[in-house]
Structure formats: C-alpha cells, structure tokens
Amino acid sequence: MTKIDEQVNEYYNKLLKRNAGEPEFHQAVAEVLESLKIVLEKDPHYNDYGLIQRLCEPERQIIFRVPWVSDNNNVHVARGFRVQFNSALGPYKGGLRFHQSVNLGIIKFLGFEQIFKNSLTGLPIGGGKGGSDFNPKGRSEGEIMRFCQSFMTELNRHIGEQVDVPAGDIGVGGREIGYLFGQYRRLNNRHESGVLTGKGLTWGGSLVRTEATGYGVVYFVEEMMKEHGDSLSGAKVIVSGSGNVAIYAIQKAQELGATVVGFSDSSGWVETPNGVDVQLLREVKEVRRARVADYVSAATGATFHADGSIWSLKADVALPCATQNELNGEHAQTLAGNGVRYVAEGANMPSTPEAIEVFRSHGIHFAPGKASNAGGVATSALEMQQNASRDSWTFDYTDSRLNEIMSNIFRRTADTAAEYDHDGDYVVGANIAGFKKVADAMLAQGII
Ligand code: GLU
C-alpha cells in the first residue's frame, strides 16, 4: 500500500465514523476517492490544505419540518432537506426528490455526485440536492400543491438565483416546480425566474429541459459507441424506469434507429420486442400518472412481468434510468452473459460497485451517471442563462447546445482516463475531470 492509499483510507474511515448510517453517501464517496488516489499519486498538491476532507464535507446541511394537511383533514409531518455541498464553481445547483426513501444520507450522496457532474458540464454551477420523504403516490392535486407550498415556506429562506437553484428529480416534475415557484414568488414578492429550473414555458422555462436528461444519455451513448466503432442504429436497448429520464431516452434511442426492448417501474417490467410506442407511454405516465401495466393493456405485442428482472432481457445496450442501486452484480453477470456491450447510467448511481466490477472484468463499456446523465442539469444551466438575459432560445438551438455539451463531456472523460493511464475507464475519467476543475477553484479561493 502506498502512502497515498493509506492517507485516503484514513480520510474515508473518518468519514464513515462521522456519517454513520448513510450507506449511499459512503458508496458515492468511496468510488470517487478510489479514482482520486490516481490523481494524488501524480499531482500531490491536490492533497494539500485539507482539500479532500473539505470536498467531502457539505458547506451547509438544512433539515426542516414540513407539516401539511391531507384531504381528509389529517395532519402529516414530513421531513425536508437541502444539502448545499459545494459552491466553488457557482451557485449550488441540483434537484429536489420527493420519495418515501429520502433521508439525509441519500440527499448527501446525490449532492456529492452533483458536484462532479455539474463541474463536467463546463458551466458555472456548484453542487447541491434536496427533497423530502413525502410520498406523492396516490395524493390528490390539492395535497401535492399544499405540500409544495409548505416545503417552499421553509426552503425559501435558503435559496435564490445567486445562492442555490433547485430543480426536479424523482417525484418532482413540471407540476411541482410550478407550485414551488408560485409560493416562492408570493413569499418574496419577486418574479425571480432564475431561482428554480424546469419551469413552465410561459414563465421562464426552457425548451428541451423536459427531454434533456434522456436525450443527453443517448447523445453520450452515441459518442461512446462511435469511439468503439459502433452505433445505435439497429441496436437493441433496455431502458429501466418509465419516468422523465427513461421516456426521453427511449424516444431518442428509437429516433436514432435502436429498438427499445423493455422498460419498467416499481410495480414490474414490460417486454417490448418490437419497440416502444412513446406516445402511448407518455399518455400513461405523464397524463394519467398510471402504472406500466396500463401501457400493456393498450399496446400490441407488449408483455407485463411482475416478477423477475428487466436485466434478464437480451440487448446490446443497457440504460438504467430508474434509481440508485437498481442493477447489482448478479444482474450485471446476466447482462454480460447475454452479450451486452454498453451500459450508460441515466439515473444517479443505479449500478452497485459489484455491478461496475463485473462490467470492467467483461470489457463492457460503462458510463457513470455523473457523466452520462449530466444533460439535465446542463440544460438547467442553459435555462438560467436564458433567464439572466430575459431570452428564450428555439428548440433546435437548445438541443444543439445540449448535444455539444454531451460530446464535450464524453471527450473530456475519455481523454482524462487516457491521460491517467486508464484508457477506456470512464468512471476514473469522469471522477478525475470533474474533480480537477472544482479542486483548482477551491485551492484558488483559500481554506473556506
Ligand atoms: N435532478 C437532476 C440531476 O440529477 C437535475 C438537476 C437540475 O436540473 O438542477 O442532475
């Protein structure tokens, strides 16, 4: 073990003790620190001034009570979070997640990942994340609105267009951003467009923001496949999930000539050997807010499975677009056995460390979420640019900017991996490229 190994392990062991009971946060940090050992061996100055310890400690963590009243007049108390992790590159930027699994450790893992992802976009945004353990499933329109208003009543004091700019994530889409924005405007008597992204198109939103994460994943995959002499045309693709990221990844992959052979939600998965009817899927998920089984009853040639795993399907490309740790070592073995050649994460940290190890050992090209799903937050930053200049760009122009950003992220990730003697290891490339920009800014700005 080298001196650097020992030192980094010591940082990590301390972090485990000080952040007990936060396994997802530990997992996200462990992966990044493993890559950083490679940088620290080559560029030891990144180990000065407590840089690594400061990077792993959020600048600020806010936890608050969110009381709300359901339609049957019961009082509920949810917990709200905003972790403002790092603002060296710009205002804190990152989504809000409303899901019953949310806790501090999950928000910290997401906020930590966001630092490197946002850095990779090349745009001036820091890293943060927030959310609540509120479960929006089955709640009425009025309940959702009152919850968002209560959540913003506290969050409002901590955000602002130059301070912290939240957006959507699981359970938070255009409808929720509307209610959150309305309450912010009311409390502050300010139409401050730049305080949230993912807004409606008539009040400061950007074209392409809705599609951006899914489209961006596919633009990244195209670049990765091109690098290895392949293309999406004629390829079979598995997309897990059926939320915002999955829907637009499916649409773009099929537009580029791939067949999407399956998608899923928390109730089960759907096999679609002849491809997905995106219009119908959007109607089921976005308009009716229903489960994937409803898609099957209206579609032809699609089968619903309540048991088993979507990762048992045979395909060339797998895009996990549902949630963290949805793809484990066993799933990865099955995918490898079935001949999968490319995996790109649309969700945040959907592959377990064991799964990533299997991909590595089978020579499967693997793109980590912080690189491949950065298109969403990048387009949020483009929305902020439009808000700042009181402009609105066309769909085609915004989409071309997104496409260019994704190719740049791919290039920087691949080149950085090669520079550090890990050719083709996009985990190492993304972690190091994302880290160096933030680290340089932190070193220049002093010990704060
Ligand atoms: N929640 C998204 C992410 O994980 C987008 C965040 C944003 O647009 O600020 O990157």
Side-chain angles (χ1 to χ4, degrees):
M1 219 194 270
T2 67
K3 198 162 158 269
I4 291 290
D5 278 324
E6 268 172 39
Q7 214 162 21
V8 173
N9 290 350
E10 191 190 313
Y11 299 156
Y12 183 65
N13 287 331
K14 231 183 224 162
L15 180 133
L16 290 181
K17 278 211 193 99
R18 298 179 73 211
N19 301 274
E22 298 177 356
E24 293 84 2
F25 179 52
H26 304 160
Q27 185 183 335
V29 172
E31 188 211 276
V32 169
L33 289 185
E34 217 32 61
S35 304
L36 294 195
K37 286 178 182 169
I38 304 165
V39 188
L40 299 184
E41 293 284 356
K42 210 168 164 177
D43 305 316
H45 77 283
Y46 285 123
N47 204 9
D48 293 343
Y49 304 110
L51 180 76
I52 307 294
Q53 296 99 310
R54 284 190 288 136
L55 188 72
C56 295
E57 181 72 16
E59 289 175 14
R60 195 171 297 103
Q61 309 182 50
I62 303 147
I63 305 182
F64 51 99
R65 178 168 76 203
V66 191
W68 61 284
V69 182
S70 50
D71 290 345
N72 56 10
N73 272 331
N74 280 338
V75 174
H76 299 256
V77 179
R79 188 169 289 174
F81 302 90
R82 187 71 184 168
V83 172
Q84 301 181 327
F85 224 119
N86 193 301
S87 60
L89 295 180
Y92 308 106
K93 181 84 197 86
L96 298 170
R97 175 176 293 191
F98 291 171
H99 191 267
Q100 61 277 17
S101 65
V102 163
N103 57 38
L104 182 61
I106 290 201
I107 299 299
K108 278 166 73 179
F109 117 65
L110 290 163
F112 186 72
E113 292 269 304
Q114 202 84 41
I115 305 170
F116 305 94
K117 182 196 304 197
N118 294 4
S119 164
L120 277 172
T121 65
L123 299 163
I125 40 178
K129 201 87 185 193
S132 173
D133 57 2
F134 169 69
N135 178 5
K137 272 209 189 89
R139 289 294 170 196
S140 71
E141 198 63 33
E143 289 174 323
I144 299 282
M145 180 179 74
R146 292 194 299 279
F147 178 80
C148 289
Q149 290 173 338
S150 180
F151 185 85
M152 182 51 85
T153 301
E154 174 60 34
L155 185 69
N156 143 70
R157 322 164 194 273
H158 310 288
I159 62 175
E161 63 186 358
Q162 311 289 353
V163 182
D164 183 356
V165 183
D169 196 80
I170 294 173
V172 177
R175 171 178 67 170
E176 291 74 18
I177 293 295
Y179 296 142
L180 291 164
F181 185 80
Q183 183 72 351
Y184 182 88
R185 182 167 64 77
R186 184 186 196 190
L187 290 168
N188 293 280
N189 190 28
R190 268 170 74 86
H191 190 112
E192 188 181 321
S193 323
V195 71
L196 289 168
T197 59
K199 299 180 293 295
L201 295 175
T202 55
W203 42 280
S206 172
L207 285 163
V208 192
R209 177 62 192 88
T210 308
E211 297 85 353
T213 314
Y215 280 16
V217 175
V218 174
Y219 294 151
F220 191 99
V221 169
E222 263 212 308
E223 290 297 322
M224 178 162 71
M225 292 179 84
K226 207 185 333 161
E227 183 87 350
H228 300 282
D230 256 325
S231 110
L232 270 172
S233 171
K236 285 191 163 64
V237 181
I238 308 169
V239 179
S240 66
S242 51
N244 171 264
V245 180
I247 290 174
Y248 295 98
I250 295 172
Q251 187 188 69
K252 187 52 78 177
Q254 296 197 150
E255 208 179 293
L256 295 175
T259 304
V260 174
V261 295
F263 61 86
S264 62
D265 69 10
S266 54
S267 68
W269 53 284
V270 176
E271 200 175 340
T272 53
N274 306 319
V276 177
D277 177 344
V278 177
Q279 243 357 77
L280 175 62
L281 182 60
R282 286 186 56 193
E283 158 74 24
V284 169
K285 299 302 290 190
E286 292 176 350
V287 183
R288 284 158 39 197
R289 296 180 189 276
R291 314 301 293 164
V292 290
D294 281 37
Y295 172 92
V296 174
S297 18
T300 44
T303 327
F304 177 72
H305 301 266
D307 302 314
S309 160
I310 190 170
W311 307 119
S312 63
L313 285 169
K314 204 170 152 37
D316 308 294
V317 179
L319 307 178
C321 295
T323 194
Q324 68 268 2
N325 293 329
E326 57 165 309
L327 199 170
N328 62 28
E330 228 172 278
H331 298 140
Q333 287 289 0
T334 310
L335 286 171
N338 281 338
V340 135
R341 281 170 296 131
Y342 299 91
V343 178
E345 296 184 328
N348 291 313
M349 208 170 75
S351 316
T352 64
E354 295 74 30
I356 298 173
E357 217 24 71
V358 173
F359 298 145
R360 271 204 184 104
S361 64
H362 285 81
I364 293 169
H365 308 292
F366 171 72
K370 57 172 83 72
S372 50
N373 77 27
V377 75
T379 309
S380 277
L382 300 183
E383 182 172 330
M384 290 162 74
Q385 276 186 40
Q386 292 168 77
N387 295 151
S389 57
R390 300 187 176 281
D391 199 358
S392 27
W393 305 343
T394 63
F395 190 97
D396 286 350
Y397 176 70
T398 317
D399 188 37
S400 69
R401 291 282 304 264
L402 167 64
N403 199 321
E404 192 186 331
I405 291 168
M406 295 315 296
S407 337
N408 287 342
I409 296 176
F410 175 75
R411 203 56 280 148
R412 209 162 329 122
T413 300
D415 290 351
T416 307
E419 186 189 331
Y420 285 85
D421 302 321
H422 280 68
D423 216 353
D425 189 331
Y426 303 127
V427 173
V428 165
N431 285 338
I432 296 181
F435 163 78
K436 279 176 79 172
K437 194 172 167 209
V438 183
D440 290 340
M442 287 175 73
L443 288 174
Q445 293 173 23
I447 301 174
I448 53 164

